[in-house]
Amino acid sequence: MVNKKILVWISVLVVIILSAGIYGYNYYNSHKDIETMVAAIQIDFEEIISEHDGIIKELNFKTSDKIKEGDIIGTISKSDDNSDCLDKSQMTKEQKQAAAKYENAAIMYKDGIITKEEYDKSLAEYRYSSKNIQSQNCKEKEEIYKIYSPKSGKLFLSDSVTEGSKISENQTIGKVADIKNLTVKAYFSPKYKKIIKDGDNAEIKIVKYPEKTFSGEVVTKDKIDIFGQSVILKINESVDNLNLENEDAVIVKIIKH
């Protein structure tokens, strides 16, 4: 018959071995680096919205230029047709006929009676005949509105926004990217929920720049969703000189050793 004391000691030994194994497994997992390829650049954008209808009169910056908060990106002219400035009392008989012909052509073109080429010809003749009778007050009547940058960062103009293009109120002119405070959003297995901590150091590789490695830091953890444990990281070095876009792929390794 087995001695009860021996059984007790065997039980204690088994518990110690199991506890040591669990501790060792957890210690190993908590001290090994954790890598994921499910990560992407997150850029904070702020849209630039037109407050007026008009014509883009001037652009002082182009896409990818770095700008500061308050910089004048360009100007909008409220008047897009010099005919608004005509002093019709000075028009000759020929000029009045050209104006009437143009007005009639505009109506017929709208109704589909004439082609665009015929309409453009009439418009050109009208403008040519009236260019010498512009009112001296024309420039005073033109309303100019400045487009200000809402923040500092990198400018991205909309494709449709060029000098001379029409713009509508509430239309998006472009956006400014806060390239100094961009972050990385990464997903890890939920099993690392308690292992990954705020402030953990990380190595970050941007896929389109494989020769570069950046140091990073865990800023916060978000809720676990269908993709896994969401982690937000910041990049410590400047990336101002890189051509980065939102959702650019990234490889993240959190350093635990």
Side-chain angles (χ1 to χ4, degrees), residues 38-220:
V38 187
I41 293 289
Q42 302 290 296
I43 300 178
D44 179 23
F45 290 104
E46 186 163 344
E47 289 191 329
I48 307 163
I49 306 297
S50 174
E51 298 180 356
H52 307 279
D53 295 324
I55 296 292
I56 300 294
K57 186 177 182 67
E58 184 180 30
L59 288 173
N60 301 322
F61 298 92
K62 61 183 183 299
T63 289
S64 294
D65 280 351
K66 294 176 185 177
I67 58 177
K68 295 180 181 178
E69 182 178 352
D71 278 349
I72 300 173
I73 296 171
T75 56
I76 296 174
S77 170
K78 187 173 182 180
S79 175
D80 63 341
D81 191 342
N82 286 337
S83 63
D84 292 341
C85 300
L86 289 178
D87 186 349
K88 295 185 179 180
S89 65
Q90 299 179 21
M91 294 176 70
T92 65
K93 181 180 179 180
E94 290 76 14
Q95 289 165 340
K96 289 179 181 179
Q97 289 176 342
K101 184 179 179 182
Y102 162 65
E103 291 174 0
N104 188 49
I107 294 172
M108 289 194 293
Y109 174 61
K110 183 178 180 181
D111 293 339
I113 300 173
I114 64 173
T115 65
K116 187 175 188 305
E117 288 74 17
E118 292 174 300
Y119 167 78
D120 288 342
K121 181 180 178 181
S122 176
L123 175 59
E125 291 174 352
Y126 166 59
R127 286 178 172 172
Y128 178 78
S129 67
S130 61
K131 69 179 181 179
N132 295 322
I133 57 170
Q134 299 299 315
S135 168
Q136 293 180 352
N137 296 323
C138 185
K139 289 185 178 179
E140 297 176 6
K141 293 180 181 179
E142 184 182 30
E143 296 182 65
I144 301 296
Y145 302 98
K146 295 178 180 178
I147 307 167
Y148 293 97
S149 173
K151 66 193 303 182
S152 298
K154 185 179 288 188
L155 175 66
F156 293 90
L157 292 170
S158 298
D159 293 339
S160 60
V161 174
T162 58
E163 289 187 354
S165 63
K166 289 186 177 181
I167 196 81
S168 302
E169 185 178 357
N170 296 323
Q171 182 177 336
T172 299
I173 295 173
K175 54 189 178 182
V176 182
D178 186 357
I179 54 179
K180 288 188 178 296
N181 296 308
L182 59 79
T183 57
V184 171
K185 187 171 186 178
Y187 284 96
F188 296 86
S189 169
K191 69 181 181 181
Y192 296 119
K193 177 181 178 180
K194 294 182 179 180
I195 296 173
I196 299 173
K197 307 289 185 182
D198 292 355
D200 278 350
N201 293 322
E203 288 182 358
I204 297 172
K205 283 184 174 292
I206 301 171
V207 172
K208 65 165 53 173
Y209 295 101
E211 74 284 357
K212 298 178 181 291
T213 299
F214 301 91
S215 65
E217 181 181 334
V218 175
V219 176
T220 187

